Amino acid sequence: MNVVIASSSIDGGIGCWDLQTGAEQLRYKTCASPPHGLTTVGCRFLACSQLRDPSATSGHLLYWSWSKPQAQVKSFPAEPIKPLIANSDGTYIVGGGSSGDIYIWEVATGRLLKKWHAHYRAITCLVFSEDDSLLISGSEDGCVRVWSLFMIFDDVRRQQVSHLYEYSFTEHTLRVTDIVIGYGGGNAIIVSASEDRTCKVWSLSKGRLLRNVVFPSIIDAIAIDPGEHVFYAGSRDGKIYIAALNAESSPSDNYGLHIIGSLTDQSKPVTCLAYSAEGNLLFSGSEDGMIRVWDVKTQNITRMFRHSKGPVNNIVIVRLPYPLGRAESKSQPSSRKHELSLPPPLEKYANSSDEDMDNKAIVMLPDTIDLPSYLSSQLINDHIKQLQQQGSSAVAEMEAKRLKVDCQRSKEMFQQLRKVYDNLQEFCVNELLDEQTMEGSKGN
């Protein structure tokens, strides 16, 4: 069952519609979300950041199970959280703060695993790469930054570098409004939109700007075609512009370089976009409270959903394993039980106690640390002690364990070499004795 989830900055709740029938399934109550503040966590439940007063110094996060209209879990982070995302399997939730800090929580326990100062001003958008190894952030400071989660969780390497980010793209001159990423992990492209009326296409593998597209109006939302031939840009003039990603295009008399067309059915600003590969459908939200479903091939509207009130600022397309109306059915008790098992609230501050492994984030990292193929036992033990003094992070613990294994292997290698040496010495002594015996025999 494919459902359309949409929220508003005004407390109109979260609407949920069946994409096939158009029927509203449920209205999740008490939600006033900022842009990019609505996400699904592993398709198990909904999570949303709340910011009713833009000038507030605190905010909260809410969880909803699919079958309950009331929020069931409420968290109070250290500061207002604006954008909120989860990785693909729902292991982590990441939030961007008004201070420019980024927070990573473990969903199952609610523990705050990492927090770092990512931007000089408030975070406006966050997105994971396809393989969840990279996190891309945009900010009111006009900067787009790429973060490797391997680096973020590696406390030892963090102390050795001058900055944590992999790339920092600073070509935008005003607030970043949206970011999307293509397929390909570290070889993907990034498209960013800004209030400077441009969308910029970046290469992750090369770390540089590939294309700059200037639009007639400010772009607040973008969506990328799964084939990565074009991207769609929702504008404050009410149009959805279509821009070429790869092919060269001549300047248009109506628009400009690389802009090859537009979709329009409204005069109100377009506030959010989402793309569904199933059926090649584009979803647009607007300040008029409507969600429009576009067939990108015919460029016609196939369906419309009406939110209760206020501008629609978030749209999420979710494929649920069962219809919401059948969540109570006896044929699916395991799904029902799993759905209601919501995790605990998120921690406000990181746990200061890091004495045991229960309070550590375990992150499986590839073995990329350059160490000599052979290290003396004393040198390895010294390195382990140095890691333990620097901190008891998960990565340091993993490194220490690996070094202990290397230490044991070195000792075993030493024993083997010593045995070989003893055998060789015995062989040489026996040879000398045999030669002396033979010479004595000849002399006689």
Side-chain angles (χ1 to χ4, degrees):
M1 176 183 185
N2 290 327
V3 295
V4 182
I5 312 291
S7 65
S8 172
S9 58
I10 298 175
D11 192 359
I14 301 174
C16 177
W17 297 268
D18 185 333
L19 179 58
Q20 184 175 3
T21 65
E24 184 167 3
Q25 299 295 298
L26 201 61
R27 176 71 57 161
Y28 303 97
K29 299 177 181 179
T30 315
C31 177
S33 65
H36 312 295
L38 176 68
T39 188
T40 62
V41 183
C43 290
R44 301 193 305 271
F45 61 92
L46 279 172
C48 188
S49 55
Q50 304 287 294
L51 193 61
R52 299 179 185 279
D53 184 0
S55 62
T57 57
S58 64
H60 55 275
L61 305 176
L62 300 177
Y63 291 170
W64 290 266
S65 65
W66 291 116
S67 61
K68 296 287 186 180
Q70 295 84 13
Q72 295 177 275
V73 178
K74 193 171 187 178
S75 305
F76 296 90
E79 64 170 315
I81 298 297
K82 293 186 175 180
L84 188 72
I85 60 169
N87 63 336
S88 57
D89 60 1
T91 309
Y92 304 113
I93 283 183
V94 183
S98 299
S99 66
D101 289 348
I102 293 179
Y103 302 77
I104 299 182
W105 288 277
E106 185 180 43
V107 173
T109 63
R111 289 174 181 151
L112 177 57
L113 302 180
K114 289 296 174 184
K115 167 195 168 185
W116 72 98
H117 193 60
H119 291 270
Y120 297 109
R121 299 186 65 185
I123 310 293
T124 55
C125 41
L126 293 167
V127 64
F128 273 112
S129 61
E130 180 191 13
D131 59 4
D132 291 333
S133 66
L134 299 174
L135 178 69
I136 299 92
S137 62
S139 169
E140 290 181 359
D141 60 15
C143 188
V144 176
R145 285 181 170 167
V146 180
W147 312 88
S148 167
L149 293 189
F150 296 149
M151 173 65 78
I152 295 302
F153 280 99
D154 191 336
D155 290 348
V156 176
R157 290 178 60 195
R158 287 178 66 168
Q159 296 177 2
Q160 300 171 350
V161 296
S162 58
H163 55 75
L164 294 180
Y165 53 78
E166 300 295 313
Y167 299 113
S168 182
F169 303 127
T170 59
E171 280 77 356
H172 283 302
T173 58
L174 293 174
R175 174 180 177 269
V176 177
T177 56
D178 200 2
I179 296 174
V180 293
I181 186 169
Y183 298 100
N187 295 315
I189 60 169
I190 300 172
V191 184
S192 59
S194 169
E195 289 183 345
D196 61 9
R197 295 194 303 113
T198 71
C199 284
K200 300 182 187 297
V201 183
W202 314 89
S203 167
L204 265 182
S205 60
K206 299 177 181 178
R208 65 180 179 87
L209 180 66
L210 298 178
R211 176 164 292 187
N212 182 55
V213 185
V214 181
F215 291 88
S217 181
I218 292 175
I219 302 299
D220 283 318
I222 45 180
I224 193 170
D225 165 35
E228 298 186 9
H229 301 297
V230 299
F231 70 91
Y232 301 88
S235 171
R236 293 187 185 178
D237 63 10
K239 295 180 179 179
I240 302 172
Y241 294 99
I242 307 171
L245 273 173
N246 299 316
E248 292 295 331
S249 58
S250 58
S252 169
D253 294 336
N254 296 327
Y255 308 120
L257 185 64
H258 307 308
I259 303 176
I260 59 177
S262 68
L263 307 175
T264 181
D265 184 61
Q266 64 235 16
S267 58
K268 294 288 186 178
V270 178
T271 49
C272 53
L273 293 174
Y275 199 101
S276 173
E278 295 187 29
N280 282 324
L281 300 175
L282 178 69
F283 298 79
S284 65
S286 172
E287 281 193 358
D288 62 8
M290 300 297 298
I291 299 103
R292 294 168 172 83
V293 185
W294 302 81
D295 183 327
V296 296
K297 291 184 178 180
T298 63
Q299 298 189 359
N300 293 324
I301 295 175
T302 61
R303 194 178 294 277
M304 296 177 66
F305 305 104
R306 180 179 294 279
H307 200 272
S308 59
K309 60 179 180 179
V312 178
N313 60 0
N314 291 294
I315 296 177
V316 180
I317 313 301
V318 187
R319 184 176 182 84
L320 296 179
Y322 54 86
L324 290 178
R326 292 175 57 193
E328 300 285 351
S329 73
K330 296 181 180 179
S331 62
Q332 296 172 338
S334 60
S335 298
R336 173 69 171 165
K337 181 178 179 181
H338 177 69
E339 177 193 353
L340 293 179
S341 301
L342 293 184
L346 304 177
E347 284 184 346
K348 189 171 186 177
Y349 302 108
N351 194 332
S352 58
S353 173
D354 208 13
E355 296 298 324
D356 54 74
M357 284 304 295
D358 289 339
N359 289 333
K360 300 185 183 85
I362 304 302
V363 183
M364 299 306 294
L365 300 180
D367 189 4
T368 58
I369 302 175
D370 292 326
L371 290 175
S373 58
Y374 174 79
L375 293 175
S376 70
S377 299
Q378 184 61 42
L379 185 57
I380 292 177
N381 288 329
D382 291 343
H383 194 17
I384 291 173
K385 290 179 181 178
Q386 182 182 1
L387 286 173
Q388 291 173 341
Q389 290 173 357
Q390 288 176 346
S392 57
S393 69
V395 176
E397 289 292 332
M398 294 168 64
E399 176 67 359
K401 289 181 180 179
R402 195 175 73 84
L403 289 174
K404 287 179 181 178
V405 173
D406 287 346
C407 179
Q408 183 62 31
R409 288 176 179 173
S410 299
K411 290 179 180 179
E412 293 175 357
M413 183 182 296
F414 173 76
Q415 295 297 330
Q416 291 175 357
L417 291 174
R418 184 171 183 175
K419 186 176 182 179
V420 171
Y421 172 78
D422 291 340
N423 292 336
L424 183 61
Q425 185 183 37
E426 182 180 358
F427 173 78
C428 293
V429 170
N430 291 335
E431 286 292 316
L432 289 173
L433 291 175
D434 289 343
E435 288 182 4
Q436 291 176 359
T437 302
M438 291 178 65
E439 288 176 358
S441 298
K442 291 180 180 179
N444 293 331

